[in-house]
Amino acid sequence: MPNPSRLRAAVLTATALVLSGLLAGCGGGSQEDDEDLTGQKLDWKDCPAPSEAEGGGAAPSPLPDGDEWQCATMRAPLDWDDPEGDTIGLALIRAEASGAADRRIGSLVFNFGGPGGSGVTTLPAFGQDYAKLRTRYDLVSFDPRGVGRSDAVECLDDKQLDTYFQQDSTPDDQAERTELVDNTEKFNAACEKNSKKILPHVRTTDAARDMDLMRQVLGDDKLHYFGISYGTELGGVYAHLFPRHVGRAVFDAVVDPTQTAEQSSLGQAKGFQLALDNFAEDCVSKTEDCPVGDTAEDVKTRIARLLKDLDRKPIPGVFPRELTETAATGGIAQALYSKDFWEYLTEGLEQAYDGDGRVLMVLSDALNGRNEDGEYSNITAANVAINCADDKPRYDPAYVEGKLPEFRDASPLFGDYLAWSMLSCTDWPVAGAADHPDVSAPGAPPILVIGNTGDPATPYEGAGRMVDALGKGVGVELTYKGQGHGAYDSKNRCVQDAVHGYLLDGRVPAAGTVCS
């Protein structure tokens, strides 16, 4: 059952790479020169192929100028309340600055979202998009604790996950509700059995402390940071804990830090419905006929009918698995993350109407971290572990049932799917930390906060609320009137000029700037 917070904060990496077969990544080692972790020396080496937990595939290709990606492992305390106790390894990747040494600003640390996404595989996949930033920064990313190569959270194995994702996550009767609850309990019990030691230590506050250690180990006085999706929440928590250590920072595809898990899920229901509305309008507005409906309402009606039919009788997907209602809903949601993927959604729907569920299944697999070899990254396990450690509320089936009308009103298509996903943390073995993160950061320098009016996963309103929560004089809001999850990677010139102007030259755009 896909967790709503993964939908809230998923990056586009998985879809692009599963569809293209270009998965890439790395890991590394460290050198223990100093008992003080801030004095450790990183042993940068060529990157090996990514682990299964990172998504599998080949080692990253060289950069366009021929330089190689480098990888290392940084040691960090397992428990930040016991900094001299056991340590864990955090996998890092970097591309050294390409410009003149006297123009280098420092390291620019990326977190691409999830929570649970591997930065070590994502950064090289999109490295060319950040070539201009590389002229003055070493580009750096990492697998946060519990993710990928960084002491990954482990729950179910690949075969068990195939079965888990075939379940009906929008139950219609008591038997289906019981099965959903039982499967959730089994998943959570497997996480506790296989990862008991790490589960209490994967909160966002832990990852933020890791980033401040990383800043010091990389040799930077300030943390220069680019956070995307969940990465904006992590960046906000970092700014709250270490306001005086914040350098130049950009938040893109902004998580609303004021919401509970329930409010976030409800906001996503509205956001994905808006994206679906925009997809339908776009399809029928083209000069040629829309192959999945005659009008926007017809497109949505036919999709709803398809999902009902799949609930009764799945169709062939990626052999030997079938495309179920749940898998199709996840595949549709994943395609709505970027306008670039709308063509795949149209193709997938057209084929599904003819009884072929392969394209929608591939999209669903991307959401769940499954590669073409049938191996799963640990994004689902890490996502649940981090969110459940962060989020204090726990919801039971009776509570969810009472909320179904509100969720269905927000989205006839995604409402049930997101409402029932709130059960993910019900029996989690670790208590949640808070209702929502604290990102107040008095004393921090300006942080550029970019909201996209058409973002399905992190609705636009969250950007304004992040600005307010950061505090007066800190958050500077920029609006992008576009589609998809995030703004910088849309290639919009106005957005990129604003980001480059700030990160490269320290020019803060005027608050309220609008790009379209």
Side-chain angles (χ1 to χ4, degrees):
M1 176 178 58
N3 184 281
S5 293
R6 181 166 67 258
L7 296 183
R8 178 186 71 194
V11 294
L12 301 179
T13 316
T15 305
L17 297 182
V18 169
L19 289 170
S20 67
L22 297 176
L23 280 165
C26 76
S30 67
Q31 178 178 328
E32 300 183 16
D33 287 344
D34 198 319
E35 289 302 317
D36 178 2
L37 292 178
T38 62
Q40 64 185 289
K41 304 298 183 182
L42 297 178
D43 184 15
W44 294 103
K45 296 180 178 178
D46 290 347
C47 299
S51 66
E52 180 178 338
E54 289 176 304
S61 301
L63 291 145
D65 61 4
D67 286 352
E68 296 285 347
W69 291 93
Q70 298 176 320
C71 290
T73 298
M74 182 186 79
R75 292 178 299 121
L78 169 65
D79 183 352
W80 273 103
D81 290 333
D82 182 19
E84 296 182 0
D86 292 345
T87 63
I88 58 174
L90 302 180
L92 276 62
I93 187 169
R94 77 171 179 184
E96 291 185 284
S98 60
D102 61 354
R103 294 275 293 161
R104 180 182 176 276
I105 296 171
S107 301
L108 181 63
V109 176
F110 288 79
N111 182 281
F112 295 93
S118 166
V120 169
T121 59
T122 304
L123 183 58
F126 290 99
Q128 293 187 49
D129 294 346
Y130 306 109
K132 190 161 186 177
L133 297 174
R134 186 181 165 227
T135 60
R136 300 196 67 189
Y137 290 99
D138 295 346
L139 305 184
V140 177
S141 194
F142 63 107
D143 289 354
R145 55 176 58 219
V147 175
R149 228 179 262 274
S150 298
D151 283 62
V153 174
E154 299 178 3
C155 299
L156 302 176
D157 63 28
D158 292 338
K159 290 184 178 180
Q160 291 170 326
L161 283 170
D162 271 348
T163 300
Y164 179 74
F165 288 120
Q166 289 288 100
Q167 71 178 316
D168 187 342
S169 64
T170 57
D172 302 311
D173 55 40
Q174 186 57 49
E176 291 181 350
R177 285 191 287 274
T178 299
E179 182 179 11
L180 178 63
V181 172
D182 288 347
N183 286 336
T184 302
E185 290 176 350
K186 290 176 183 176
F187 181 93
N188 294 353
C191 298
E192 183 177 21
K193 177 182 178 181
N194 296 323
S195 303
K196 187 175 183 178
K197 185 177 181 179
I198 190 71
L199 292 185
H201 307 296
V202 294
R203 294 189 171 98
T204 298
T205 51
D206 296 314
R209 290 185 171 93
D210 292 339
M211 287 205 304
D212 200 57
L213 175 62
M214 192 183 308
R215 171 190 66 79
Q216 297 171 77
V217 172
L218 291 170
D220 292 326
D221 293 331
K222 303 285 187 181
L223 178 76
H224 305 296
Y225 180 74
F226 199 138
I228 301 164
S229 198
Y230 162 79
T232 67
E233 179 177 327
L234 174 58
V237 170
Y238 179 90
H240 170 69
L241 293 175
F242 307 102
R244 305 293 180 183
H245 296 171
V246 176
R248 299 174 187 175
V250 173
F251 295 175
D252 186 8
V254 185
V255 170
D256 187 337
T258 70
Q259 292 185 329
T260 64
E262 177 189 340
Q263 291 167 333
S264 176
S265 295
L266 185 61
Q268 280 195 323
K270 297 174 182 176
F272 277 97
Q273 188 63 46
L274 174 63
L276 183 67
D277 293 344
N278 292 336
F279 161 76
E281 291 285 354
D282 180 77
C283 188
V284 300
S285 70
K286 296 184 183 301
T287 54
E288 67 272 16
D289 292 337
C290 175
V292 291
D294 296 326
T295 66
E297 286 303 315
D298 185 39
V299 171
K300 291 181 284 187
T301 298
R302 291 190 69 191
I303 292 174
R305 188 182 306 128
L306 170 68
L307 295 179
K308 286 185 178 180
D309 290 344
L310 292 173
D311 191 29
R312 291 190 293 268
K313 186 178 180 180
I315 61 175
V318 176
F319 184 81
R321 295 171 301 141
E322 294 182 315
L323 182 73
T324 62
E325 177 195 19
T326 297
T329 304
I332 293 167
Q334 183 71 347
L336 293 175
Y337 275 109
S338 171
K339 194 172 182 178
D340 291 342
F341 299 151
W342 286 5
E343 62 180 292
Y344 298 120
L345 177 54
T346 300
E347 179 184 357
L349 290 170
E350 192 174 12
Q351 291 186 5
Y353 295 147
D354 290 333
D356 182 350
R358 284 178 294 177
V359 172
L360 289 183
M361 179 69 85
V362 168
L363 289 164
S364 178
D365 285 346
L367 180 70
N368 297 326
R370 188 186 195 272
N371 68 25
E372 57 188 2
D373 295 326
E375 298 175 342
Y376 285 86
S377 74
N378 87 313
I379 189 170
T380 296
N383 177 271
V384 173
I386 295 167
N387 281 311
C388 294
D390 278 348
D391 296 337
K392 187 176 181 179
R394 300 292 187 251
Y395 308 104
D396 60 28
Y399 185 86
V400 172
E401 286 188 70
K403 290 293 180 177
L404 287 175
E406 187 176 4
F407 274 76
R408 289 167 178 165
D409 185 59
S411 174
L413 187 72
F414 296 105
D416 280 36
Y417 178 77
L418 286 163
W420 284 109
S421 290
M422 291 194 298
L423 293 181
S424 294
C425 298
T426 299
D427 295 298
W428 193 250
V430 176
D435 289 329
H436 54 79
D438 190 345
V439 300
S440 59
I447 295 173
L448 180 57
V449 178
I450 307 172
N452 181 353
T453 58
D455 198 316
T458 50
Y460 170 68
E461 295 78 11
R465 291 171 187 155
M466 175 67 81
V467 167
D468 291 341
L470 287 169
K472 186 176 180 180
V474 180
V476 177
E477 185 173 7
L478 182 149
T479 295
Y480 169 54
K481 292 185 175 180
Q483 303 296 330
H485 188 41
Y488 183 88
D489 284 332
S490 72
K491 308 298 193 298
N492 179 270
R493 180 68 177 272
C494 172
V495 171
Q496 293 197 339
D497 283 350
V499 171
H500 295 160
Y502 182 43
L503 290 179
L504 295 174
D505 300 315
R507 297 193 308 269
V508 182
T513 296
V514 177
C515 297
S516 59

